[in-house]
Amino acid sequence: MDLSVKPGDDFYTYASGAWLRNNPVPAKETRWGSFNLLRDFNIKAVKDILNEAAADKNAAAGSVNKRVGDFYAAAMDSAAIEKLGYKPIKNDLKRTGKIKDVNGLLNEAAYLRTSGAGSPMFGFYVGQDRKNPNNMVPQLSQGGTTLPDRDYYLKDDARSKKIQDAYKTYITTLFTLTGESQAKAQQNAETIFNLEKKLAAAQMARVEMRDPYKTYNKFSVADFSKTTPNMDWKALMAKMKVNGQDTILVNNPKFFTELDGMLKSVPTKDWATYMQWNVLKSAAPYLSSDFVNANFAYSQALSGQKVQTPRWQRMSQLTDGTIGELLGQLYVQKHFKPEAKARMNEMIANLIKAYEIRINNLDWMSAGTKEKALAKLHAFRPKVGYPDKWETYEGLDISRKSFFTNVRNSGAWGYNKMVNQLGKPVDRERWGMTPPTVNAYYSPVMNEIVFPAGILQFPFFDPKADDAVNYGGIGAVIGHEISHGFDDSGSQYDKDGTLRNWWQPEDLAKFKAKAKLLKEQYDAYTVLDTVHVNGQLTLGENIGDLGGLAGAYEAFKMTKQGQSNELIDGFTPDQRFFLSWAQVWRGNILPEAAAQQIVTDTHSPGEFRTFGPLVNMDAWYEAFDVKPGDKLYKKPEDRIRIW
């Protein structure tokens, strides 16, 4: 803490100033804070598990230990990877370079997707139908670009220009590494950038994409094909291994009409170059070091990271991202205790109870809407730690000898697994995160809140810590995920996960008015020079923070400590609660990474997550004696209360 700062002037520095000064961003990172510390601890724990598994000579064929060990050992065999250079993708490059017409182009796009070699032109996935969440449906989404957001193509300020140049350099470097002349590689970079820029211009902005109705466009496959004369979706989907489906969901139909026009207006040879690029960029992180280094130089321009993340860490993360539920079994055996799960379940029950009290006490919502909100709250399904039923990855071949083949195999396996969900009941036991993940999520179509084992550790959670610390940490995280069910987007889904309105019109109008005030509060926060927080993009997360912290405080006040005034380290229980919250969000970030975060991340930066909700909570003012004249002071009538 930095006790020289007045809490009412700058609570972020008061709670974490000394830590922030003493913990600059390490060279291999782009930001450094509580999340990163825990992720660092977890990735080292994962590394030990992986090294043990890789060294286990007696692991039975097909066992979890053997498969995890083989995947990691192959990933760490850099001598074999160096020797191969770009040989693993030579055939792909040759084949994509020979595309002669639109039909060949679409065939190639389908092949790359099904073989785990890339996702060119557009996004495709299988997921629940938001208006009928018991059905799995094929879904198309805008895509086809490489830079993290459409704005990077469309803006021409100095920051965007610098990133565009770094991107073109990256394309040029990868092509020269496959034997193209410098001049031809540079020409390719211009071709690819201009083609992707057209795709970017056809995309909707991130704020628009947060609207679940705007992005819900259902077509019969035949009708959708009429809007794209050059793309027959029945034939195309069959090539993408999707058969017998007569309906498709499309998040941005205009994107596909634009793409369809480009199939004719852009020369086929340019499309062939673009497809080669898709092969190259998908493979670069898994090829020899000159490809990996070029990939890092590009990401450096985006994030400002000083040195490359060490190979063991990248490959540990890759193992988690690829076969996370095999690795997860080994992780929870070592790092997740039954008492942690029991304590979490108890806290979740308390948070639900607190939320129920808060909904009942809302002065702006009518009884009819309250009834629906409570029905939704009571239908929430919590998942804690790890899945009850582990994914076995049956049919996925993993060889200790061939890293690149393992990566490709797992891409193809994942694709097949996804399309095989069509025509089957929704798998409600499935997890969207792996057990070692330091994160949590809410799914509106499942109406579930999910907390992987990875986040259930200090500073978020410690079974031995006092309630103030746990409720200010993981309690607020639980409350945050519950609040996502009631944020500007999640509140449009009912208790069954169906996208349909359950609000009385006047209540919805009041909710929107409150949300607008919160948007304006965050819009006013300056991050870098002229860059502000985007209050609309971050609205869902900010409602999550405000509702989550208020709910966690309500639940904390139900505990014995919450009702006492006993000092620990000279701080009251309420002060410890708010300090725990603030210290979860402490962190340093590189300016490049901060600039990227504002464009692409739906979360506000940590500093504003810290005090953004607090300035709206009376209890914080009382706990730290915040008075008019203090910089963070907000008049009681201006404090925003939503949930």
Side-chain angles (χ1 to χ4, degrees), residues 180-357:
E180 289 281 18
S181 71
Q182 182 74 16
K184 179 78 172 82
Q186 278 171 328
Q187 190 189 328
N188 287 353
E190 289 302 326
T191 299
I192 290 157
F193 183 83
N194 292 332
L195 197 159
E196 289 189 355
K197 187 175 179 177
K198 284 186 184 136
L199 293 172
Q203 292 176 4
M204 281 199 285
R206 270 171 203 262
V207 167
E208 284 183 280
M209 293 295 291
R210 288 193 65 247
D211 182 335
Y213 282 98
K214 199 175 228 173
T215 53
Y216 185 94
N217 303 284
K218 195 179 238 183
F219 292 88
S220 75
V221 173
D223 283 348
F224 188 57
S225 295
K226 286 177 193 152
T227 70
T228 59
N230 299 306
M231 300 168 97
D232 170 2
W233 287 98
K234 191 176 178 201
L236 194 50
M237 277 164 52
K239 286 171 187 150
M240 286 159 48
K241 302 191 174 186
V242 175
N243 293 300
Q245 298 289 316
D246 55 6
T247 307
I248 196 156
L249 279 173
V250 185
N251 73 356
N252 178 3
K254 179 180 150 278
F255 174 84
F256 287 89
T257 54
E258 294 282 331
L259 171 62
D260 185 71
M262 285 171 65
L263 292 177
K264 288 291 189 216
S265 65
V266 172
T268 309
K269 67 174 191 351
D270 291 357
W271 276 116
T273 305
Y274 167 82
M275 294 304 261
Q276 287 188 309
W277 170 238
N278 273 269
V279 169
L280 271 170
K281 73 174 180 186
S282 302
Y286 317 117
L287 298 173
S288 55
S289 53
D290 32 8
F291 286 88
V292 175
N293 294 340
N295 176 259
F296 174 64
Y298 158 66
S299 69
Q300 224 175 355
L302 284 169
S303 69
Q305 187 176 333
K306 304 288 183 285
V307 303
Q308 195 161 12
T309 310
R311 183 167 189 93
W312 69 262
Q313 188 172 338
R314 282 179 285 127
M315 294 307 124
S316 298
Q317 283 160 333
L318 181 69
T319 310
D320 182 35
T322 309
I323 47 172
E325 290 196 19
L326 294 179
L327 170 62
Q329 293 174 56
L330 305 177
Y331 175 84
V332 296
Q333 278 166 19
K334 280 201 165 177
H335 296 285
F336 192 57
K337 307 282 180 288
E339 58 266 29
K341 190 162 187 164
R343 181 80 190 276
M344 264 304 278
N345 285 331
E346 178 195 316
M347 288 182 74
I348 291 168
N350 286 351
L351 256 297
I352 298 272
K353 208 180 298 171
Y355 228 92
E356 186 182 307
I357 293 168

Side-chain angles (χ1 to χ4, degrees), residues 433-611:
M433 285 179 181
T434 67
T437 307
V438 182
N439 212 333
Y441 69 93
Y442 167 72
S443 163
V445 281
M446 289 281 208
N447 200 25
E448 65 182 13
I449 46 176
V450 186
F451 306 95
I455 197 172
L456 303 180
Q457 299 175 57
F458 183 79
F460 296 92
F461 177 66
D462 180 349
K464 298 184 194 68
D466 58 304
D467 279 328
V469 169
N470 278 331
Y471 277 91
I474 201 71
V477 173
I478 298 167
H480 174 99
E481 300 308 337
I482 293 172
S483 298
H484 272 315
F486 302 98
D487 70 17
D488 61 314
S489 174
S491 62
Q492 301 185 63
Y493 296 79
D494 70 7
K495 68 180 174 56
D496 304 318
T498 306
L499 182 62
R500 68 170 152 228
N501 181 31
W502 47 271
W503 293 71
Q504 302 283 346
E506 59 276 17
D507 295 331
L508 190 55
K510 287 176 189 167
F511 173 67
K512 286 184 170 168
K514 285 174 174 291
K516 184 170 179 283
L517 292 174
L518 198 64
K519 170 203 173 298
E520 288 162 0
Q521 176 188 320
Y522 282 83
D523 274 341
Y525 294 142
T526 309
V527 184
L528 284 172
D529 44 72
T530 57
V531 179
H532 281 249
V533 175
N534 181 337
Q536 192 60 48
L537 180 64
T538 57
L539 183 58
E541 296 299 336
N542 298 334
I543 293 173
D545 283 346
L546 179 57
L549 193 60
Y553 181 73
E554 185 93 37
F556 171 56
K557 297 312 272 183
M558 297 176 191
T559 67
K560 198 168 150 222
Q561 186 192 13
Q563 290 162 18
S564 81
N565 286 315
E566 184 201 341
L567 298 182
I568 302 180
D569 297 337
F571 293 100
T572 67
D574 276 21
Q575 288 174 330
R576 286 173 69 76
F577 170 86
F578 290 117
L579 286 168
S580 172
W581 162 260
Q583 292 181 350
V584 158
W585 298 115
R586 67 189 179 192
N588 287 307
I589 184 167
L590 301 175
E592 297 89 341
Q596 185 184 342
Q597 182 190 359
I598 287 301
V599 178
T600 61
D601 197 342
T602 54
H603 301 83
S604 299
E607 180 182 349
F608 308 110
R609 292 190 76 171
T610 301
F611 56 72

Side-chain angles (χ1 to χ4, degrees), residues 4-183:
S4 70
V5 174
K6 221 172 155 189
D9 281 345
D10 179 357
F11 194 69
Y12 184 63
T13 306
Y14 170 77
S16 303
W19 188 94
L20 291 166
R21 274 196 306 277
N22 297 328
N23 290 276
V25 179
K28 72 180 178 76
E29 303 285 345
T30 59
R31 54 174 83 181
W32 194 246
S34 299
F35 271 85
N36 310 84
L37 274 166
L38 181 45
R39 283 181 182 137
D40 211 50
F41 166 82
N42 268 357
I43 206 70
K44 284 173 181 147
V46 163
K47 176 193 185 184
D48 292 343
I49 291 166
L50 291 171
N51 281 331
E52 247 169 70
D56 183 356
K57 297 281 184 277
N58 305 316
S63 67
V64 171
N65 241 16
K66 172 95 174 116
R67 299 178 80 198
V68 168
D70 283 355
F71 187 92
Y72 185 66
M76 290 304 287
D77 186 356
S78 42
I81 294 162
E82 285 306 309
K83 211 152 85 187
L84 285 170
Y86 77 100
K87 200 170 163 195
I89 57 166
K90 261 189 174 159
N91 288 340
D92 290 329
L93 290 172
K94 213 176 272 173
R95 197 185 58 251
T96 43
K98 287 182 181 156
I99 294 169
K100 292 280 183 285
D101 52 27
V102 170
N103 200 32
L105 171 65
L106 295 174
N107 285 348
E108 188 56 44
Y111 174 74
L112 292 183
R113 199 168 243 113
T114 55
S115 62
S119 309
M121 303 165 85
F122 55 86
F124 168 74
Y125 63 101
V126 170
Q128 285 164 272
D129 179 341
R130 274 173 271 172
K131 291 192 178 176
N132 187 358
N134 290 322
N135 272 4
M136 300 298 282
V137 285
Q139 310 199 24
L140 291 170
S141 59
Q142 62 182 33
T145 48
T146 307
L147 287 164
D149 189 83
R150 69 195 282 271
D151 281 8
Y152 286 110
Y153 294 91
L154 308 177
K155 286 187 167 174
D156 58 3
D157 57 279
R159 201 178 270 131
S160 304
K161 278 272 198 242
K162 190 180 153 207
I163 287 166
Q164 291 169 12
D165 290 343
Y167 177 44
K168 289 175 188 174
T169 302
Y170 179 41
I171 302 174
T172 305
T173 307
L174 289 198
F175 274 103
T176 54
L177 288 173
T178 64
E180 289 281 18
S181 71
Q182 182 74 16

